Amino acid sequence: MTVYLVNQECDFRPMDDAMLIFHGGSGETYQLAGVPACLVAELLRTPEASTLESLVIRLSDPESQPPVVLVEEALEQLRKAGVVSVRHP
Amino acid sequence: MTLIDLGESTVQERLRGEGLILKTGPFAARIRTRIPVVAAALMQVYQDFPVLDASAFADFECHLRRPLTFRRWHRPQVLFLADGRSVFKPLPLHQAFPVLEWGMNWCVANQVHDRLVFHAAAVERNGKALILPAPPESGKSTLCAALVASGWRLITDESVLFDLRLDEVTGPVRPVSLKNASIDVINDFAGNVMLSDVCRDTLKGTVAHMRPPSSSVDRADEPATPAWVVFPEYRAGAATLLKPLAAGSAFMQIVKSAFNYPALGRRAFHRTADLIDQADAYTFVYSRLEEAIETFDALAAGR
């Protein structure tokens, strides 16, 4: 799976407290912390997630991390920033 | 052959003729000028630096000259040209030497893309580099000068070069640029340092340059392993405080100091992350240099 920000493929580097994202199109670098960072990390290691929505459903499992209630918020933050879309091979 | 071996009159002659090629770490700069004060200033703070043959390759072509305007008769000025192109607006002639220093900084910041270049100071002990990225007025150069006067090896005061393949930093060893109050602070802290003549009324206030120790110049090509990235902040009267900084925040802060991050793009992103993965990051607030030096000596000793 490739994660795109504003339709550009991105590079990712997880740090201990954050997810760093390099947006190849603009050359901008983002730092996500907290739940949005967990969400991107989850996206990167979840090849079977077919859409963001299905990912949220999967994460809605009560035992999942990050906590369910915040996943929607995190997603909303990413969407408001116009940054997340997911494409599959 | 070093500058002091050549002597001031030969230095003057080369500057006026085909150029003086000064080696500063990995770079060679050909300097040409007919402005007399430049030779004397070079002798003050670059005396131990190697000089290359006039036929050698130079990475930077630096030319200082007076602009040919009417102003030259009543308010003389100086222009810095890199590869024949003026890169700053003309400045008063008495600032010729600081203008040369700023011009050489400009060359590194704008013309070097085979390594990641950070606007930062770096010093070394036991093969490990302490990197001090910081905006102007943060006390970076004052701290760097004090560390060097206390036995740390100077890697650079201005431009940290991080290799794109190896986890090594180098720098163009050059004089440490001191401004305003920090000139007296360093004179008081370390009476044995050699400073250039003071230049007043520049855009940065009063400036002087500290001659690097000859031991640092001799080891200019020796790389060091990045061990600590410390963001210093001088705050009058503040207690000394070294505080760990989370890796993500350290990354975002140091990226602001990278001159060629946009030019190197994806490679710069990954190499900066490699650097932060490898080094421990801290913020550092200080007001007393003695305590600052003790803090970094303890860090280097693993205490």
Side-chain angles (χ1 to χ4, degrees):
Chain A
M1 182 200 303
T2 308
V3 176
Y4 288 76
L5 305 187
V6 202
N7 293 322
Q8 286 284 338
E9 187 175 341
C10 295
D11 282 28
F12 297 87
R13 286 291 290 252
M15 291 279 162
D16 48 9
D17 62 326
M19 178 65 71
L20 298 168
I21 305 177
F22 180 75
H23 180 246
S26 63
E28 293 288 336
T29 304
Y30 301 90
Q31 179 197 12
L32 296 180
V35 176
C38 294
L39 180 59
V40 171
E42 193 64 29
L43 279 167
L44 292 173
R45 65 171 170 258
T46 314
E48 69 273 17
S50 59
T51 61
L52 281 176
E53 286 68 24
S54 71
L55 181 75
V56 171
I57 291 165
R58 206 177 63 73
L59 290 173
S60 297
D61 181 323
E63 290 180 11
S64 72
Q65 288 295 326
V68 177
V69 66
L70 294 176
V71 170
E72 286 286 12
E73 283 177 23
L75 203 52
E76 192 53 32
Q77 280 182 40
L78 294 173
R79 281 192 178 125
K80 271 188 188 159
V83 290
V84 169
S85 66
V86 184
R87 292 180 191 173
H88 301 275
Chain B
M1 176 79 73
T2 63
L3 220 65
I4 201 164
D5 297 331
L6 275 186
E8 188 170 335
S9 58
T10 310
V11 167
Q12 189 80 268
E13 204 175 291
R14 288 207 185 177
L15 289 170
R16 286 170 167 269
E18 50 201 350
L20 175 84
I21 304 189
L22 194 61
K23 182 115 171 36
T24 58
F27 307 123
R30 186 194 317 272
I31 305 166
R32 291 186 301 124
T33 186
R34 302 182 75 82
I35 300 169
V37 294
V38 175
L42 285 169
M43 294 304 293
Q44 283 180 327
V45 287
Y46 279 97
Q47 65 166 33
D48 302 313
F49 282 70
V51 177
L52 305 184
D53 227 45
S55 59
F57 175 79
D59 300 277
F60 310 132
E61 296 287 341
C62 306
H63 187 192
L64 280 175
R65 69 168 174 79
R66 297 169 67 160
L68 302 172
T69 58
F70 286 117
R71 189 188 273 260
R72 72 183 185 274
W73 304 115
H74 59 98
R75 221 174 261 178
Q77 292 180 310
V78 59
L79 267 181
F80 177 85
L81 296 93
D83 289 330
R85 190 165 59 95
S86 170
V87 296
F88 304 136
K89 65 178 188 180
L91 288 166
L93 185 62
H94 78 278
Q95 297 178 22
F97 183 68
V99 168
L100 173 63
E101 284 296 305
W102 300 331
M104 289 203 281
N105 292 344
W106 184 94
C107 290
V108 176
N110 289 276
Q111 298 182 344
V112 176
H113 296 304
D114 61 340
R115 309 147 224 238
L116 194 48
V117 184
F118 294 102
H119 181 212
V123 292
E124 176 265 358
R125 181 167 282 173
N126 301 326
K128 293 180 174 179
L130 162 63
I131 299 170
L132 302 162
E137 310 301 320
S138 58
K140 159 184 77 79
S141 292
T142 315
L143 185 56
C144 174
L147 285 161
V148 170
S150 306
W152 289 68
R153 171 170 71 99
L154 175 66
I155 296 176
T156 178
D157 169 50
E158 181 68 21
S159 316
V160 169
L161 310 170
F162 188 48
D163 195 279
L164 291 178
R165 290 165 299 277
L166 307 172
D167 292 330
E168 293 177 349
V169 293
T170 52
V173 175
R174 300 245 312 278
V176 179
S177 169
L178 298 171
K179 294 178 275 296
N180 304 313
S182 66
I183 299 169
D184 287 339
V185 168
I186 289 301
N187 255 329
D188 292 345
F189 178 81
N192 58 345
V193 296
M194 169 65 203
L195 298 183
S196 66
D197 290 342
V198 164
C199 186
R200 300 180 199 284
D201 302 322
T202 78
L203 291 172
K204 301 180 180 194
T206 300
V207 298
H209 290 83
M210 182 182 112
R211 180 199 295 167
S214 55
S215 53
S216 296
V217 179
D218 292 345
R219 296 171 63 195
D221 293 326
E222 190 179 312
T225 304
W228 309 282
V229 174
V230 178
F231 298 90
E233 183 194 348
Y234 172 81
R235 212 183 286 161
T240 305
L241 180 62
L242 182 72
K243 204 168 143 191
L245 179 65
S249 302
F251 179 102
M252 296 307 280
Q253 275 202 51
I254 200 171
V255 156
K256 291 181 199 157
S257 305
F259 286 123
N260 54 358
Y261 189 86
L264 294 177
R266 185 164 272 122
R267 290 183 85 185
F269 172 73
H270 285 292
R271 289 306 283 154
T272 306
D274 292 341
L275 173 67
I276 295 298
D277 272 344
Q278 183 176 358
D280 295 328
Y282 299 89
T283 57
F284 182 61
V285 176
Y286 77 101
S287 62
R288 287 180 288 278
L289 279 176
E290 290 80 2
E291 289 182 15
I293 302 306
E294 277 172 24
T295 304
F296 291 113
D297 284 350
L299 194 67
R303 296 197 298 270

